[in-house]
Amino acid sequence: MSEKTKHTQGFDTRAIHAGFLEDKSNALITPIYANSTFAYEGFESQGQYSYARFGNPTRTSFEKALASLENGSDAFAFSSGMAAISAVFNLLPQGSHIIISDDQYGGTYNLIENMLKVTSKHEVTYMDFSPIDKLFGKIKPNTKMIWVETPSNPLLKIANLREIAIAANDHNILCVADNTFASPYIQKPLDHGFDISLHSTTKYINGHSDIIGGAVVVNNNDLAEKIRQIQLNTGGVPSPFDVFLTHRGLKTLGIRMKKHSENAMKVAEFLHKHPKVEKVFYPGLKSHPQHQLAKEQMKEFGGMISILLKDDREVVKSFLEKLQLFELAVSLGGVESLIQHPATMTHKSIPLRKRNIMGITEGLIRLSIGIEDADDLIYDLKQALDK
């Protein structure tokens, strides 16, 4: 191979080539190293790998590629999104105060309320980050972490990453962004000053609804070493096969996110005009309260939409059961379009009173727009709404 010249590669090029590990076979794709253990090179030299919980070439290849796409120094793969989330919370000393989005994934809420408050004695303040000026009044002497989802799940709120990062850095507080809904193609929280960007790689990064996984990306050597030790000692690492599939999905992330976003924009515009839809939550619409901010910090507007129908379970049930192309299922980010009812599915662990305050009511429906033909998706939604 000829000598490589210096050149800054684009996102799609890095998605395909970053992290590649050459081996003696000259394989074009990093193989699945299905090893639990690796032979030492000698009595006093173990080589790069020794035991698969500590590291695996298949996993290393994926982690390097993801770090490149997030503009991070290091990435760490986990066995699930919740394992990645738990790893980040493990950075905190007991009795820490956490400020977190009031509108966030139900699994994160459940972990905080039913485990972290009990075992780690953490204090938690839930807030709406869209009016950023309220953040400063929430910070306490023991505030150790600010945690945001943007776009949030399921109301698609947009948080100002740069302003939150400035506030966090001024007070020596770790700031964490759950970047699952956007993916590194659409936004890079580390570029805005965040310490950590995390993902459920089950979703857009893998993109094919056939694995469970998570990842944490950082751009700081000390923080990377702490996450590495948590990954090593808690052992929530993915299998080589799952990492292989996730890395395969990562290679097409850019082209998939363009199609997800293009389809979602068309679907959102259709739903916005439909008389039976009371409200559409999509940052690409000018009616979204943070549309301008979304334009500034996101490359595309993503594939997630939420809508509000009449606040009546029978109306919602009838609509969902009449759909033919959209599948009723939890999760998101796959090539196929999914639809779900947050109040009874992803966010059912949140108490009813809090759900209602957050706006996660009976009439709220979340759509994950796939990469099918947009006209077919619109036809399916129209026939279900019209009936």
Side-chain angles (χ1 to χ4, degrees), residues 229-365:
Q229 289 301 315
I230 292 169
Q231 183 193 51
L232 186 155
N233 291 314
T234 59
V237 295
S239 74
F241 183 64
D242 283 351
V243 174
F244 176 83
L245 290 177
T246 308
H247 196 175
R248 184 177 67 170
L250 187 71
K251 293 176 186 293
T252 59
L253 179 63
I255 59 172
R256 285 187 287 104
M257 293 311 298
K258 292 172 192 173
K259 183 64 172 175
H260 284 299
S261 299
E262 176 188 322
N263 279 358
M265 191 72 233
K266 292 177 180 178
V267 170
E269 288 173 341
F270 159 75
L271 292 168
H272 184 64
K273 296 174 183 176
H274 200 284
K276 291 186 179 177
V277 178
E278 294 187 10
K279 188 173 182 179
V280 180
F281 303 84
Y282 185 64
L285 294 176
K286 291 181 180 179
S287 59
H288 191 286
Q290 290 111 24
H291 172 68
Q292 187 58 40
L293 176 60
K295 284 178 65 177
E296 292 170 3
Q297 70 181 28
M298 298 171 71
K299 187 173 182 177
E300 306 273 358
F301 297 113
M304 299 302 299
I305 302 171
S306 287
I307 62 173
L308 194 63
L309 298 183
K310 185 178 179 181
D311 201 9
D312 183 303
R313 183 173 290 213
E314 288 306 310
V315 169
V316 170
K317 179 174 180 287
S318 175
F319 166 65
L320 293 175
E321 289 180 344
K322 286 179 172 60
L323 290 165
Q324 298 169 1
L325 190 55
F326 282 82
E327 294 288 352
L328 181 64
V330 296
S331 200
L332 59 106
V335 293
E336 66 288 316
S337 292
L338 302 178
I339 195 164
Q340 65 108 348
H341 186 231
T344 59
M345 296 170 74
T346 52
H347 291 69
K348 66 179 179 181
S349 63
I350 299 175
L352 175 61
R353 180 176 174 275
K354 181 170 176 60
R355 285 203 309 268
N356 287 334
I357 293 172
M358 293 165 63
I360 304 174
T361 60
E362 288 288 344
L364 187 72
I365 294 170

Side-chain angles (χ1 to χ4, degrees), residues 7 22 29-30 32 36 62 87 139 144 150 152 207 209 222 236 260 268 318 334 353 372 374-375 379:
H7 168 68
E22 294 186 11
I29 302 297
T30 302
I32 302 171
S36 61
F62 166 69
I139 295 174
K144 300 296 182 184
T150 182
S152 66
S209 303
D222 291 339
H260 284 299
S318 175
R353 180 176 174 275
E372 303 96 338
D375 289 345
Y379 176 84

Side-chain angles (χ1 to χ4, degrees), residues 40-107:
Y40 276 50
E41 294 178 355
F43 180 70
E44 296 180 338
S45 176
Q46 69 175 43
Q48 183 177 355
Y49 301 99
S50 61
Y51 187 61
R53 175 163 56 87
F54 308 157
N56 172 286
T58 311
R59 194 169 90 216
T60 298
S61 180
F62 166 69
E63 289 173 337
K64 286 182 178 295
L66 181 58
S68 175
L69 297 187
E70 280 272 25
N71 292 341
S73 61
D74 297 270
F76 302 90
F78 289 87
S79 56
S80 68
M82 288 308 302
I85 289 169
S86 298
V88 173
F89 281 130
N90 270 331
L91 291 166
L92 299 177
Q94 190 174 41
S96 295
H97 176 236
I98 304 164
I99 303 173
I100 189 166
S101 306
D102 61 352
D103 167 29
Q104 98 286 130
Y105 172 50

Side-chain angles (χ1 to χ4, degrees), residues 14 66-73 184 188 190-191 217-219:
R14 284 182 287 139
L66 181 58
S68 175
L69 297 187
E70 280 272 25
N71 292 341
S73 61
K188 298 176 176 60
L190 302 182
D191 285 358
V217 189
V218 300
N219 202 14

